[in-house]
């Protein structure tokens, strides 16, 4: 299954960290997933959350306002695959 992940947020430190660790999890676990960074405010607002960063997987907001751990990200992706 192909997983589509979106990181909602500007270029703040937390947003960059979430994008970086998400890419690390995908690479380390060889997940079939694509990551897109969404910085446009109107696109972000369409999700109804302004607590940034936000982690969206297959159009479902999973985390908002936090940077989850690598294990949390891995668990979420694994659950979507299974």
């Amino acid at each position: 299954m192909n997983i589509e992940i979106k990181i909602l947020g500007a270029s703040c430190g937390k947003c960059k960290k979430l994008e970086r660790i998400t890419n690390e999890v995908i690479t380390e676990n060889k997940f079939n997933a694509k990551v897109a960074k969404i910085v446009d405010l109107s696109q972000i607002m369409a999700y109804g959350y302004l607590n940034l960063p936000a982690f969206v997987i297959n159009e479902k907001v999973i985390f908002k306002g936090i940077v989850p751990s690598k294990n949390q990200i891995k668990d979420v992706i694994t659950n979507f695959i299974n």
Side-chain angles (χ1 to χ4, degrees):
M1 169 189 260
N2 192 26
I3 302 292
E4 182 180 310
I5 298 169
K6 294 179 183 173
I7 306 299
L8 310 181
S11 296
C12 70
K14 286 183 179 180
C15 299
K16 289 178 182 178
K17 182 177 180 180
L18 178 55
E19 182 180 23
R20 178 181 51 79
I21 64 173
T22 298
N23 282 312
E24 287 174 4
V25 168
I26 290 168
T27 300
E28 290 168 5
N29 295 280
K30 299 177 182 164
F31 288 132
N32 184 14
K34 290 190 272 183
V35 177
K37 179 111 180 249
I38 308 299
V39 298
D40 180 74
L41 189 56
S42 63
Q43 289 180 327
I44 292 170
M45 288 175 55
Y47 287 92
Y49 297 100
L50 288 178
N51 287 346
L52 302 177
F55 180 93
V56 179
I57 187 166
N58 289 358
E59 295 303 316
K60 182 177 179 185
V61 177
I62 305 296
F63 301 108
K64 55 189 178 296
I66 65 167
V67 177
S69 70
K70 287 175 89 170
N71 283 335
Q72 289 174 304
I73 293 170
K74 179 182 175 185
D75 290 345
V76 166
I77 295 172
T78 300
N79 287 336
F80 269 85
I81 292 171
N82 295 329

